[in-house]
Amino acid sequence: QVQLVESGGGLVQAGGSLRLSCVASGSIFRFNVMGWYRQAPGKQRELVANIINDGRTNYADSVKGRFTISRDNAKNTVYLQMNSLKPEDTAVYFCHAFSTSSYWGQGTQVTVSS
């Protein structure tokens, strides 16, 4: 049973920073891809960033240059460093992992006030 537990969300003013963490139960080496998605009220869930096993990363255009995804294999953790936050970044952020199946965390709320 794979569990992904997110933390680090909260309320921040525009221009501020937050770091999200996603801890997986067991080694993250087994996942081909890990990433972060977000879902704002009334909108579809969208990819924010992901990191592939070989270290390659992908970002949504809206967060390029502001967000950084990274992984710590020793801690079975994936991070999302979010800088220069904007009100439009407000959403529930979900951790995602994929190997032969797709796994999701429970989500963490990020609210950016103007």
Side-chain angles (χ1 to χ4, degrees), residues 67-80:
F67 291 10
T68 303
I69 189 170
S70 62
R71 60 196 290 167
D72 185 333
N73 295 327
K75 296 183 178 179
N76 297 325
T77 301
V78 174
Y79 302 99
L80 185 68

Side-chain angles (χ1 to χ4, degrees), residues 59-106:
Y59 295 92
D61 288 342
S62 59
V63 307
K64 282 180 181 175
R66 299 188 298 123
F67 291 10
T68 303
I69 189 170
S70 62
R71 60 196 290 167
D72 185 333
N73 295 327
K75 296 183 178 179
N76 297 325
T77 301
V78 174
Y79 302 99
L80 185 68
Q81 178 66 43
M82 305 186 295
N83 298 328
S84 302
L85 282 161
K86 304 175 180 181
E88 51 263 44
D89 294 318
T90 295
V92 178
Y93 284 70
F94 297 90
C95 181
H96 175 257
F98 178 79
S99 55
T100 55
S101 297
S102 192
Y103 305 96
W104 294 93
Q106 81 287 352

Side-chain angles (χ1 to χ4, degrees), residues 2-3 15 17 19-21 24 28 38 42 52 55 58 67 70 73 80 86 91 95-96 99 105 108 111 114:
V2 174
Q3 287 189 321
S17 298
R19 188 177 80 157
L20 304 184
S21 300
I28 61 175
R38 67 186 180 188
I52 302 171
N58 297 290
F67 291 10
S70 62
N73 295 327
L80 185 68
K86 304 175 180 181
C95 181
H96 175 257
S99 55
T108 185
T111 303
S114 57

